[in-house]
Amino acid sequence: PAIITLVTRGEEALLARGVQFRMPIYSTLAGFVEAGESLEDAVHREVLEEVGVHIKNVRYWGSQPWPFPGNIMLGFYAEALSEEITIDPEELKDARWFTRDQMRNSEAHGFQLPRVDSIARRLIEDWLAAG
């Protein structure tokens, strides 16, 4: 399965821009569960590999079918234990901490959030609604 994770730190959330996006779209972190790996371990590993951030309190949020390649996406929240970001340049163009205000007014701040029908966007919207 694919794992989609919104990492938070107080009133900020970590979003990243993948190398595949030509437009400035910032989204949650994503990756795949490896054979023999728990979902929680996969979340820890993927976040650390992609942005160098240590996390705690991994919580399952929900799922979304994903037709390509016939898989399922599992959404998680996690809390950051560290602030400094070190991106994997093969996967990401950029990653930053965003405030709720920046995310609610993303276009005014020069970026876009993921599509409204995506699990990544639903994770973001639920986090925004909670604050």
Side-chain angles (χ1 to χ4, degrees):
I3 51 171
I4 311 301
T5 307
L6 181 63
V7 177
T8 62
R9 185 190 68 188
E11 293 300 307
E12 295 180 312
L14 179 59
L15 299 179
R17 181 177 176 196
V19 294
Q20 74 276 22
F21 295 125
R22 290 178 38 179
M23 300 183 63
I25 298 172
Y26 282 79
S27 187
T28 57
L29 301 173
F32 291 94
V33 179
E34 295 180 355
E37 187 175 44
S38 74
L39 298 174
E40 296 81 5
D41 286 346
V43 170
H44 281 272
R45 177 186 51 76
E46 284 290 345
V47 171
L48 191 59
E49 285 177 1
E50 289 190 4
V51 293
V53 173
H54 292 274
I55 58 171
K56 65 178 182 176
N57 297 332
V58 174
R59 298 174 318 281
Y60 174 74
W61 175 85
S63 64
Q64 176 181 354
W66 188 27
F68 307 104
N71 213 326
I72 189 163
M73 293 189 290
L74 305 171
F76 293 88
Y77 287 109
E79 296 174 34
L81 287 171
S82 54
E83 176 180 347
E84 185 176 334
I85 298 168
T86 305
I87 66 166
D88 175 353
E90 292 183 17
E91 301 261 342
L92 303 175
K93 283 186 181 179
D94 187 31
R96 301 185 238 167
W97 294 103
F98 290 90
T99 65
R100 281 186 164 97
D101 180 63
Q102 288 172 317
M103 293 168 76
R104 286 185 181 114
N105 301 292
S106 61
E107 297 209 6
H109 290 280
F111 70 98
Q112 295 176 13
L113 293 174
R115 295 172 22 163
V116 294
D117 62 347
S118 68
I119 192 170
R121 181 64 171 265
R122 292 195 332 256
L123 281 164
I124 292 167
E125 294 293 344
D126 279 4
W127 181 75
L128 290 173

